[in-house]
Amino acid sequence: MARILHDGRTYRPYEYDSEEEFEKAVVDHSREIFGPDSVYFDIKKRLENENVLTIPDGYLLDFSFQHSPRLYIIENELVEHDPFRHIGQQLLKFATAYEESRHKLKQALSDEIQADSEKRAFIEERAAEADIRNVDVLLDEVIYGSQAAAIVVIDEITSDLENVLGQLTMGTDVVQLKTYVREDDIIHHVRPFQQDVRSAADDEESIDPEELDTVVVPARREGFEETFLGEDCWYKIGMASSMVEQVKYIAAYRTAPVSAITHYAEVASIEKYQDTGKYILHFKEPAEEIDRIPLPDAHEGIAPQGRQYTTFERLLEAETLEEVFP
């Protein structure tokens, strides 16, 4: 089993005794897992009192997109559970219960907000920043104004899990929370939810995440020629569900020896790619060649290793890669 080094000490993988223990770790570290622009609601007991038959592990109110806050169903799972019979079926039940129990959900969230002054102050501030009149209107917008979406937090992402999520029509994101231990010292490793969105918007120019409309993908020569140019598409892209409706353009960063962005295409549609949990982007027209946007000579190490987001305007104005990304 893989081990990690932290502060010069070796940690081994930690095995949770139960899903309840794993869920407690998620609740305790919710800000680190879901980001500083979010509020986690652990309201199963409140919903049980409302006689809601199918109740998820929690809900997340996310303000990563300032003017478009989103509410997510949270399912905390251990990889040992059957993703087909357990996770997939659970998410379908949750989605159905969400549609049928919106009023009870709103009341439970409202009660939780009113009972927690810290939560209330944070949410009221974010609602004001989003030009939303009050918390009641905010809850109406996130509960009644959008379809159910989910986040699965799991200790290990597997191909079976991706296969199940690829078959669901609801927007679903996955966060992997891995835990390690040395004697009595426990540490966690996680890539926070929406981290790539926040990273793209976190610079001195303060780009609003809602302005991000372009995804840049690294492409090797064979894939670039055969797929990006030859098939007018790009597939098996892992994207946050929140970005699916926002992305309007795709640009190709061609790996060494080219080491530059050379082409872009306008996106016609984005669909789930087979049963992978990832996406395929279809182009409206064949990719268009642009003036090379190379790596700056002094920063050879900033080449994109995975997808990154930017704005189309920023892409067209850039002369080097460091001007494309924050």
Side-chain angles (χ1 to χ4, degrees):
M1 301 176 70
R3 299 177 178 232
I4 65 170
L5 289 174
H6 177 69
D7 291 339
R9 305 165 74 186
T10 301
Y11 289 73
R12 60 177 175 79
Y14 178 79
E15 295 185 9
Y16 287 93
D17 291 332
S18 65
E19 186 176 297
E20 288 72 23
E21 184 188 10
F22 180 71
E23 183 178 341
K24 183 178 185 303
V26 174
V27 173
D28 290 345
H29 298 281
S30 59
R31 287 304 284 277
E32 293 89 348
I33 294 170
F34 301 108
D37 301 314
S38 66
V39 179
Y40 188 94
F41 292 90
D42 182 21
I43 57 172
K44 284 194 290 188
K45 290 184 179 179
R46 286 186 184 274
L47 289 174
E48 287 171 356
N49 293 334
E50 295 292 339
N51 295 318
V52 177
L53 296 179
T54 305
I55 304 171
D57 293 319
Y59 290 89
L60 186 80
L61 183 55
D62 181 55
F63 293 93
S64 295
F65 299 84
Q66 181 180 358
H67 295 94
S68 303
R70 291 171 168 82
L71 185 68
Y72 293 88
I73 296 166
I74 304 296
E75 174 70 355
N76 302 314
E77 289 288 350
L78 296 175
V79 70
E80 64 190 40
H81 288 160
D82 185 337
F84 294 93
R85 298 184 59 186
H86 189 75
I87 300 176
Q89 290 181 6
Q90 285 286 79
L91 290 177
L92 288 175
K93 289 179 181 178
F94 295 152
T96 301
Y98 180 86
E99 298 297 325
E100 296 176 350
S101 307
R102 293 183 194 230
H103 176 73
K104 292 179 179 179
L105 172 58
K106 180 186 175 182
Q107 188 61 56
L109 291 175
S110 180
D111 290 346
E112 180 75 7
I113 293 169
Q114 294 305 315
D116 189 321
S117 59
E118 185 176 343
K119 272 192 177 83
R120 184 171 67 253
F122 177 84
I123 293 172
E124 287 176 345
E125 179 182 351
R126 292 307 178 94
E129 292 173 353
D131 297 323
I132 298 174
R133 188 165 65 252
N134 53 45
V135 173
D136 189 68
V137 174
L138 169 67
L139 292 178
D140 278 342
E141 289 191 8
V142 298
I143 294 174
Y144 294 99
S146 61
Q147 298 297 315
I151 304 171
V152 176
V153 185
I154 195 165
D155 54 337
E156 183 179 353
I157 298 174
T158 64
S159 58
D160 283 345
L161 174 64
E162 291 187 332
N163 180 277
V164 169
L165 299 183
Q167 298 178 48
L168 299 176
T169 57
M170 68 185 301
T172 309
D173 296 282
V174 184
V175 176
Q176 179 174 267
L177 175 66
K178 297 187 76 68
T179 304
Y180 300 86
V181 63
R182 183 184 186 276
E183 297 176 352
D184 293 329
D185 187 20
I186 291 178
I187 61 174
H188 304 281
H189 180 269
V190 63
R191 179 176 175 80
F193 176 63
Q194 303 278 40
Q195 180 61 43
D196 50 357
V197 174
R198 286 193 299 274
S199 296
D202 186 22
D203 74 340
E204 60 185 13
E205 297 180 24
S206 299
I207 299 176
D208 189 328
E210 289 167 298
E211 297 177 1
L212 298 172
D213 60 3
T214 302
V215 60
V216 179
V217 294
R220 300 180 185 275
R221 181 177 64 84
E222 295 82 359
F224 173 74
E225 293 177 354
E226 294 176 6
T227 307
F228 205 93
L229 297 184
E231 300 179 24
D232 299 331
C233 69
W234 195 249
Y235 53 83
K236 212 170 183 181
I237 302 177
M239 291 175 59
S241 61
S242 58
M243 291 301 297
V244 171
E245 294 183 3
Q246 284 204 192
V247 168
K248 307 302 179 187
Y249 300 92
I250 181 171
Y253 169 79
R254 297 169 63 185
T255 57
V258 178
S259 301
I261 296 175
T262 63
H263 290 71
Y264 81 88
E266 188 173 359
V267 175
S269 63
I270 301 177
E271 303 169 353
K272 288 283 184 73
Y273 178 67
Q274 297 178 359
D275 294 331
T276 64
K278 295 182 171 59
Y279 295 90
I280 179 170
L281 278 63
H282 298 281
F283 305 165
K284 282 188 177 180
E285 296 178 348
E288 182 175 334
E289 186 171 5
I290 58 176
D291 292 339
R292 294 175 74 256
I293 306 175
L295 285 169
D297 294 338
H299 300 279
E300 294 294 338
I302 69 168
Q305 301 301 308
R307 70 179 185 281
Q308 292 192 44
Y309 299 110
T310 187
T311 67
F312 188 59
E313 180 181 5
R314 189 166 183 153
L315 176 75
L316 294 185
E317 293 178 352
E319 294 184 0
T320 66
L321 213 64
E322 67 179 355
E323 297 173 7
V324 175
F325 306 114

